[in-house]
Amino acid sequence: DAGVIQSPRHEVTEMGQEVTLRCKPISGHDYLFWYRQTMMRGLELLIYFNNNVPIDDSGMPEDRFSAKMPNASFSTLKIQPSEPRDSAVYFCASSPLLVNYGYTFGSGTRLTVV
Amino acid sequence: GIQVEQSPPDLILQEGANSTLRCNFSDSVNNLQWFHQNPWGQLINLFYIPSGTKQNGRLSATTVATERYSLLYISSSQTTDSGVYFCAVDAGKSTFGDGTTLTVKP
């Protein structure tokens, strides 16, 4: 398996633009997580899905953020409109189960909003 | 929410030395994981260890759930061990500690 695949690796956008980050989890993994990493706040869980259904989105910072998982092999995290404070590395991770198995992380998307 | 504290925040070692990293957490947890973030930013899962002891090569981990702490042992450290080590717990919501930054010098 190629692991968790995220795209793009880097994204530079202007304030106010819409940004879409993409994630392909490992086949057969029922759980998908979106995290954000910043120097100030460390690694934060934004939202996670089980079998394509959002379970906990309490970490989504604002209504400008939305996430979808239309099928078992694809998820998106959208920011509209983007702001400079959204600049961070966004990670996607997947796991076969919530217990007994660790998470496998993707390589992340480094987002810069100017 | 649950508090996760890692110590020490920074650690500098000579190659070949051993080290112990600690993770304290403030409440009962469903699971606990250790991750290594390498200098290129990749997060690698080292252990899933809600309790007990596990070993993988030069690395081992022990979690004492009743006392709310976990330890990560690195023996015979190598320069490739450098990076940030994170502890992550789940008590209904995944929470990461702030990490221990390890630098191994040749």
Side-chain angles (χ1 to χ4, degrees), chain A residues 4-56:
Chain A
V4 177
I5 300 173
Q6 292 187 245
S7 64
R9 289 296 308 275
H10 302 274
E11 176 81 36
V12 180
T13 191
E14 290 185 348
M15 182 175 62
Q17 296 298 306
E18 177 180 294
V19 176
T20 300
L21 311 181
R22 296 172 175 80
C23 175
K24 176 179 168 55
I26 292 174
S27 177
H29 282 197
D30 292 334
Y31 287 85
L32 183 140
F33 309 86
W34 282 100
Y35 285 86
R36 179 173 68 175
Q37 185 175 32
T38 61
M39 290 295 293
M40 291 296 294
R41 300 176 66 89
L43 275 154
E44 305 172 276
L45 176 65
L46 301 178
I47 186 172
Y48 79 91
F49 295 83
N50 178 24
N51 290 324
N52 314 337
V53 176
I55 302 301
D56 184 349

Side-chain angles (χ1 to χ4, degrees), chain A residues 9 33 35 37 41-46 48 56-59 91 98-108, chain B residues 30-31 33 35 37 40-45 47-48 50 54 84 86 88-90 92-98:
Chain A
R9 289 296 308 275
F33 309 86
Y35 285 86
Q37 185 175 32
R41 300 176 66 89
L43 275 154
E44 305 172 276
L45 176 65
L46 301 178
Y48 79 91
D56 184 349
D57 65 354
S58 60
F91 287 100
L98 209 52
V99 294
N100 297 328
Y101 288 88
Y103 302 170
T104 300
F105 276 82
S107 298
Chain B
N30 300 320
N31 68 54
Q33 301 179 68
F35 293 90
Q37 187 167 36
W40 296 272
Q42 180 67 30
L43 279 158
I44 306 297
N45 188 288
F47 294 103
Y48 172 89
K54 291 186 177 179
V84 184
F86 290 102
V89 304
D90 189 337
K93 184 182 173 82
S94 169
T95 302
F96 274 71
D98 289 336

Side-chain angles (χ1 to χ4, degrees), chain B residues 6-53:
Chain B
Q6 292 189 241
S7 60
D10 299 281
L11 186 59
I12 301 175
L13 301 174
Q14 284 298 130
E15 201 168 27
N18 302 329
S19 62
T20 301
L21 283 57
R22 188 176 180 102
C23 171
N24 292 332
F25 42 97
S26 60
D27 205 345
S28 299
V29 298
N30 300 320
N31 68 54
L32 186 147
Q33 301 179 68
W34 282 97
F35 293 90
H36 174 220
Q37 187 167 36
N38 64 27
W40 296 272
Q42 180 67 30
L43 279 158
I44 306 297
N45 188 288
L46 299 175
F47 294 103
Y48 172 89
I49 185 166
S51 63
T53 297

